[in-house]
């Protein structure tokens, strides 16, 4: 499977996640408020939760100091529906608490209204 | 590829009642207070951040919006049938729940009765895999004993969920409860709830509180052991639920060493504290501390027995442990003990292994 149209851009609103298939692989497509699209395997690398039920949100950052929260990333973070681990979409799906770990990701491009996933 | 089924005895599953569902089980005037005076349980937890859906797994919330754990059919599909549970032990405990109620003894006792009746009718008698916990309002001890006498002989009630309060469980105050437990072959379960474990207040951050739950377990175990509860009630067993398990070797070593020095203060102890623990205390695994296989095997070795740990998922809560992923791979014999046989040996009312 080289590439595949998985949905239309209008199939998901900014800030939404949609489940789909890339070949036989169950994947999620995420659309940020800035209309960037990302695709990942629909399975958390921690204990296997279905990421289609995740929340796209912002996150507190490591610029925070004790007693002083710094929050950003807007809606670029996937928070797992089970243990709530945070994965940064813009940074290859890396886990915020442990950037050595990352979600399995796919490339995405938009052509006309088509969301195309490829390896 | 179909997932391999695990014939698990899951020692911590949270069913959940909603106020509207428990109403019909409440006697008056308590029904009136809930229905007409809009009583809701006071809650203090100052945090909302654990995960994306409060304390629940986001995918365990029902499609129609009802709270996680409130529907048997959904639980069967998402948990029991999916994993292949042999048995599951219900531990309830989200509000409205007598386990976290203080004050208003009459309401707490009425709530316990209503809760037990609801649990029996909607869960224990609807799925043969599910076993239950007797809820009591221990602030009124004599009423609590009556409630144990009322429902404790139900064949599917396997333990008493003893609420945590400011009287430690080794105190003679609780002896009549332990006596009733022994009489009905019920074990005692400790599952944290409010109040918190931090000098009577909540710590500044949830992560602190959640990290230190095992300290509350250690206090209760030490208190019951040194107060001689397990010798006075030799059939009694204590299941410590949802505190993880890596603190266990530490506690056993510590108590044994102290006992060598200070035995004279607690001369009623007939066995070493670690021996008492090995015989009468069991620990559920969740939230598992994510050890490597080497670390995990070394910890079992440090406990001196592989018969204390009992697997638990804590479904449907956010920190659910997957039976497939939470513990490292282990030999089939050890896996069978941790995933089912240890719990089966602990709870006298769980049936023997089904003939295949
Ligand atoms: S399964 Fe995703 S954070 Fe644990």
């Amino acid at each position: 499977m080289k590439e595949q149209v998985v949905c239309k851009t209008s199939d998901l609103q900014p800030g939404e996640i949609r489940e789909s298939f890339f070949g036989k692989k169950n994947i999620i497509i995420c659309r940020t408020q800035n209309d960037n699209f990302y695709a990942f395997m629909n399975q958390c690398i921690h204990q296997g939760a279905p990421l289609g039920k995740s929340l796209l949100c912002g996150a507190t950052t490591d610029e925070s100091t004790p007693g002083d929260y710094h929050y950003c990333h807007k809606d670029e973070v996937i928070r797992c529906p089970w243990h709530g681990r945070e994965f940064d979409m813009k940074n290859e799906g890396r886990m915020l608490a442990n950037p050595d770990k990352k979600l399995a990701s796919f490339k995405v491009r938009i052509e006309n209204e088509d969301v195309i996933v490829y390896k | 590829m179909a997932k391999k089924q695990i014939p698990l005895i899951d020692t911590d599953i949270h069913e959940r009642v909603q106020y509207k569902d428990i109403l019909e089980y409440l006697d008056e005037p308590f029904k009136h207070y809930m229905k007409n005076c809009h009583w809701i349980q006071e809650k203090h937890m100052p945090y909302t951040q654990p995960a994306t859906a409060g304390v629940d797994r986001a995918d365990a919330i029902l499609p129609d919006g009802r709270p996680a754990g409130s529907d048997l059919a959904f639980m069967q599909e998402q948990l029991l049938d999916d994993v292949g549970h042999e048995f599951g032990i219900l531990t309830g405990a989200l509000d409205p729940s007598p386990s976290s109620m203080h004050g208003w003894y009459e309401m707490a006792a009425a709530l316990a009765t209503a809760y037990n009746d609801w649990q029996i009718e909607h869960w224990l008698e609807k799925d043969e895999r599910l076993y239950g916990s007797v809820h009591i309002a221990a602030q009124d001890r004599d009423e609590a004993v009556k409630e144990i006498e009322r429902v404790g002989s139900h064949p599917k009630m396997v333990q008493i969920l003893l609420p945590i309060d400011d009287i430690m469980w080794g105190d003679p105050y609780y002896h009549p409860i332990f006596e009733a437990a022994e009489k009905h072959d019920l074990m005692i379960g400790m599952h944290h709830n409010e109040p918190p474990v931090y000098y009577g207040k909540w710590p500044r951050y949830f992560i602190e509180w959640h990290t230190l739950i095992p300290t509350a377990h250690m206090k209760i175990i030490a208190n019951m052991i040194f107060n001689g509860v397990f010798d006075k009630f030799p059939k009694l067993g204590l299941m410590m639920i949802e505190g993880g398990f890596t603190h266990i070797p530490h506690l056993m070593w510590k108590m044994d060493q102290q006992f060598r020095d200070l035995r004279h203060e607690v001369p009623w102890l007939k066995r070493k504290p670690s021996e008492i623990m090995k015989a009468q205390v069991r620990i559920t695994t969740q939230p598992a501390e994510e050890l490597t296989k080497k670390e995990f095997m070394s910890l079992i070795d440090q406990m001196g027995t592989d018969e204390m740990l009992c697997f638990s998922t804590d479904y449907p809560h956010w920190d659910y442990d997957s039976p497939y992923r939470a513990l490292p791979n282990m030999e089939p014999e050890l896996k069978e003990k941790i995933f089912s046989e240890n719990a089966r040996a602990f709870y006298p009312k769980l049936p023997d292994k089904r003939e295949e």
Side-chain angles (χ1 to χ4, degrees):
Chain A
M1 176 66 49
K2 282 230 171 69
E3 62 176 58
Q4 185 184 337
V5 176
V6 293
C7 62
K8 296 274 178 206
T9 51
S10 57
D11 286 340
L12 69 173
Q13 296 301 309
E16 276 185 3
I17 301 178
R18 180 192 167 90
E19 295 184 22
S20 184
F21 279 92
F22 176 55
K24 287 199 174 123
K25 293 195 173 86
N26 190 205
I27 63 168
I28 55 166
I29 318 292
C30 309
R31 175 174 180 170
T32 68
Q33 297 294 344
N34 308 334
D35 293 330
N36 293 320
F37 287 78
Y38 296 91
F40 299 95
M41 276 296 265
N42 185 16
Q43 196 184 65
C44 182
I45 50 170
H46 175 223
Q47 288 198 16
L51 290 176
K53 301 274 190 206
S54 307
L55 187 70
L56 295 190
C57 56
T60 50
T61 75
D62 59 8
E63 284 170 46
S64 305
T65 52
D68 187 14
Y69 287 111
H70 182 254
Y71 180 86
C72 80
H73 290 299
K74 296 284 186 273
D75 58 348
E76 292 155 6
V77 168
I78 296 178
R79 264 199 97 192
C80 174
W82 289 5
H83 310 97
R85 295 193 183 182
E86 304 158 292
F87 300 93
D88 187 350
M89 288 196 275
K90 272 205 164 153
N91 188 14
E92 307 174 77
R94 289 182 189 278
M95 192 193 297
L96 293 189
N98 180 5
D100 293 344
K101 303 266 184 214
K102 57 178 184 173
L103 299 177
S105 62
F106 303 89
K107 297 194 177 102
V108 182
R109 70 171 195 275
I110 308 296
E111 266 170 32
N112 303 317
E113 291 293 286
D114 291 337
V115 179
I116 301 166
V117 169
Y118 60 107
K119 253 300 191 194
Chain B
M1 200 177 69
K3 225 168 31 175
K4 198 167 165 282
Q5 296 256 299
I6 301 180
L8 173 66
I9 299 182
D10 186 345
T11 48
D12 187 20
I13 300 177
H14 294 280
E15 85 290 5
R16 176 161 191 167
V17 75
Q18 297 181 80
Y19 285 89
K20 64 177 177 46
D21 297 333
I22 206 166
L23 269 180
E24 63 174 291
Y25 297 91
L26 268 180
D27 284 339
E28 296 291 9
F30 305 101
K31 189 174 182 172
H32 163 74
Y33 287 126
M34 195 181 275
K35 186 165 177 237
N36 305 324
C37 307
H38 311 289
W39 177 81
I40 52 166
Q41 197 155 6
E42 89 178 321
K43 282 283 170 181
H44 293 120
M45 191 187 258
Y47 325 97
T48 56
Q49 62 270 44
T52 66
V55 295
D56 293 319
R57 259 172 60 167
D59 63 332
I61 294 169
L62 286 138
D64 62 13
R66 278 178 296 151
S70 60
D71 185 84
L72 174 61
F74 193 77
M75 180 190 284
Q76 287 167 332
E77 184 189 323
Q78 191 167 49
L79 182 75
L80 306 175
D81 299 345
D82 187 54
V83 174
H85 279 55
E86 183 183 355
F87 300 121
I89 299 181
L90 298 178
T91 46
L94 274 178
D95 59 314
S97 155
S99 290
S100 53
M101 230 192 118
H102 298 271
W104 207 7
Y105 295 13
E106 300 85 346
M107 177 52 125
L111 193 59
T113 298
Y115 194 95
N116 291 328
D117 288 345
W118 170 82
Q119 183 192 177
I120 289 170
E121 188 173 330
H122 288 271
W123 300 84
L124 307 189
E125 290 180 352
K126 290 260 163 68
D127 189 311
E128 61 170 4
R129 292 166 291 191
L130 294 177
Y131 283 74
S133 302
V134 176
H135 290 248
I136 55 172
Q139 61 267 57
D140 185 337
R141 186 195 58 198
D142 298 343
E143 282 301 314
V145 169
K146 276 192 215 154
E147 182 61 14
I148 298 167
E149 292 296 344
R150 192 182 73 87
V151 291
S153 59
H154 190 284
K156 298 191 86 187
M157 285 293 193
V158 297
Q159 71 188 351
I160 296 166
L161 211 53
L162 194 55
I164 303 160
D165 212 324
D166 55 3
I167 309 175
M168 299 287 279
W169 292 2
D171 195 284
Y173 174 84
Y174 290 104
H175 286 187
I177 289 176
F178 299 148
E179 227 174 274
E182 274 199 331
K183 181 173 158 195
H184 294 289
D185 277 337
L186 299 166
M187 303 291 107
I188 300 292
M190 169 159 164
H191 187 291
H192 60 267
N193 211 312
E194 297 193 18
V197 296
Y198 186 79
Y199 307 114
K201 290 166 71 179
W202 290 98
R204 186 153 168 167
Y205 303 109
F206 181 87
I207 192 171
E208 291 178 74
W209 174 66
H210 209 248
T211 297
L212 295 175
I213 287 170
T215 62
H217 289 209
M218 291 162 77
K219 286 177 194 160
I220 287 284
I221 295 171
N223 183 258
M224 289 176 77
I225 285 182
F226 290 133
N227 280 272
V229 170
F230 294 109
D231 282 310
K232 179 162 183 196
F233 301 99
K235 277 169 63 194
L236 200 70
L238 178 68
M239 182 62 93
M240 301 308 275
I241 305 165
E242 203 175 343
F245 52 84
T246 53
H247 55 289
I248 298 303
H250 161 76
L251 184 61
M252 293 202 283
W253 279 322
K254 193 68 167 175
M255 287 194 297
D256 281 358
Q257 178 269 327
Q258 292 289 301
F259 184 65
R260 286 191 286 275
D261 293 350
L262 298 168
R263 180 220 57 83
H264 59 90
E265 193 190 13
V266 287
W268 42 82
L269 254 60
K270 305 285 179 274
R271 298 166 285 169
K272 276 196 303 186
S274 63
E275 292 305 321
I276 298 175
M277 270 188 79
K278 284 180 199 166
Q280 287 169 271
V281 181
R282 297 291 175 267
I283 297 95
T284 71
T285 49
Q286 182 273 348
E289 283 103 342
E290 307 197 328
L291 308 186
T292 62
K293 182 171 182 180
K294 193 167 161 219
E295 290 161 347
F296 184 75
M297 294 314 298
S298 138
L299 192 93
I300 299 261
D301 200 37
Q302 290 169 28
M303 286 187 195
T305 172
D306 57 8
E307 295 181 351
M308 288 177 86
L309 297 184
C310 303
F311 192 86
S312 59
T313 61
D314 191 35
Y315 177 91
H317 290 164
W318 69 280
D319 47 348
Y320 171 83
D321 263 347
S322 162
Y324 299 93
R325 304 274 289 265
L327 296 182
N329 279 330
M330 56 189 100
E331 298 302 317
E333 200 187 321
L334 177 60
K335 185 164 179 179
E336 212 183 329
K337 283 185 169 176
I338 294 176
F339 282 69
S340 59
E341 294 319 302
N342 290 349
R344 197 192 317 272
F346 177 72
Y347 290 111
K349 286 164 82 172
L350 280 188
D352 290 343
K353 210 166 182 171
R354 285 200 208 130
E355 295 302 324
E356 315 263 279

